[in-house]
Amino acid sequence: MDTNKIHLSSSPHFSFKMKTQYIMAAVLIALLPEAIAGIVFFGWRALLTILVSVASCVLFEYLFQKATKQKVMISNLSAAVTGLLLALVCPPTIPWWMVVIGSACAIIIAKGLFGGIGSNVFNPALTGRAVLFISFPSVMGARWLEPHTVDAISSATVLSSLKSGAVDSIDYLQYFLGNRAGCIGETSILLILISFIFLLAARIIDWRAPLTMVLTVVLGAFISGLAKSGSLSGAGNEVLINLLTGGLLFGATFMVTDYATTPVTKPGRTRKALCSVF
């Protein structure tokens, strides 16, 4: 045998002890509190969005893998995770057919065309949301549903209150608990923190990227608030409001920790989090 030969093989070049199905099941369990709270707060519209999104993602993955003569792998639950993530970052008032479009973009374009699970360069759920936001901005960000109501109204979110300067009207406790207008799964800071602790304890995610992302935003908000108000209390208020947006902590817990788009090295995860902010 020629010992000078270099034997190469395709990726992956290392493996985890945990199976993909186990990891995805853990993420689904972590997302359940946000999903249930979204249904409680926003009613049947949130439930419909969640059901349509999950079913569409699973169906599109099945059809794509069948059409491309690949092994059908919907049993690994990755499509279900994508569908639930997509639903939770959408407003409860979104029409069901838009959810189907977002699911198709997430599964076929962001995931399937790049080679499937582990080969995508963008987070599928965020890609689907980005397509929906660009295509239907008035639906995705103009009108919001107040909890326990039926009709969508132009209700203020944390960011819109911050932009208008009406920060004194914010009920911090209710915003922390999630009893406010917003995306289905992003309103409750308490539940997102519980999900983060669960995923951390189950060794599904690493703390470096989420913590770096949040601390970077906190530092930026503190400097911005200090520059605008000239006082430490104003800077602290700015930090608190940014933390209460929901989207920041949800993204730090479920998006920046995405396995396929997360660097292998620990310093790389920190740099990814910084890039996510900037």
Side-chain angles (χ1 to χ4, degrees):
M1 177 182 290
D2 188 354
T3 57
N4 293 323
K5 287 185 178 180
I6 299 176
H7 298 275
L8 301 177
S9 62
S10 61
S11 59
H13 301 291
F14 60 92
S15 61
F16 293 100
K17 293 181 180 180
M18 291 185 292
K19 293 183 178 180
T20 301
Q21 190 177 48
Y22 170 82
I23 295 172
M24 295 302 159
V27 175
L28 284 175
I29 293 172
L31 287 167
L32 278 180
E34 288 83 353
I36 294 172
I39 295 170
V40 172
F41 288 137
F42 304 113
W44 66 269
R45 290 190 176 190
L47 177 61
L48 178 64
T49 299
I50 292 172
L51 292 178
V52 170
S53 183
V54 173
S56 298
C57 283
V58 173
L59 179 61
F60 282 127
E61 178 148 297
Y62 174 84
L63 294 176
F64 182 85
Q65 290 174 346
K66 276 290 187 181
T68 54
K69 298 181 179 179
Q70 301 179 49
K71 180 182 178 181
V72 176
M73 300 180 65
I74 58 174
S75 61
N76 63 21
L77 302 178
S78 62
V81 169
T82 297
L84 187 53
L85 281 172
L86 175 61
L88 295 183
V89 295
C90 287
T93 54
I94 185 173
W96 66 268
W97 57 270
M98 290 187 187
V99 179
V100 175
I101 293 175
S103 299
C105 294
I107 295 298
I108 297 175
I109 297 177
K111 185 179 179 183
L113 294 181
F114 281 93
I117 184 171
S119 301
N120 50 290
V121 296
F122 304 108
N123 184 287
L126 285 182
T127 301
R129 188 188 190 281
V131 171
L132 291 175
F133 192 85
I134 294 172
S135 304
F136 312 104
S138 60
V139 175
M140 293 296 292
R143 306 190 68 183
W144 298 93
L145 186 68
E146 282 283 359
H148 314 297
T149 59
V150 178
D151 297 322
I153 59 174
S154 299
S155 178
T157 61
V158 181
L159 288 179
S160 59
S161 297
L162 179 62
K163 184 178 180 180
S164 64
V167 295
D168 294 334
S169 63
I170 292 179
D171 187 334
Y172 290 110
L173 178 60
Q174 293 303 315
Y175 272 60
F176 179 75
L177 296 176
N179 190 24
R180 61 178 176 87
C183 292
I184 295 173
E186 294 181 352
T187 60
S188 178
I189 306 302
L190 174 62
L191 294 180
I192 295 173
L193 290 176
I194 292 174
S195 296
F196 174 75
I197 294 172
F198 168 76
L199 291 174
L200 206 60
R203 298 181 181 273
I204 302 297
I205 63 174
D206 181 74
W207 59 268
R208 290 170 180 80
L211 186 62
T212 301
M213 180 178 177
V214 172
L215 289 180
T216 303
V217 173
V218 166
L219 179 60
F222 182 83
I223 295 173
S224 174
L226 191 62
K228 288 192 299 184
S229 64
S231 66
L232 290 177
S233 61
N237 195 50
E238 189 93 2
V239 169
L240 188 58
I241 291 172
N242 275 274
L243 289 175
L244 289 175
T245 59
L248 170 62
L249 295 182
F250 189 90
T253 301
F254 296 106
M255 300 301 186
V256 79
T257 55
D258 174 45
Y259 273 60
T261 57
T262 296
V264 176
T265 64
K266 295 174 182 178
R269 294 169 190 168
T270 302
R271 288 193 290 268
K272 178 197 175 185
L274 291 172
C275 293
S276 299
V277 174
F278 294 109

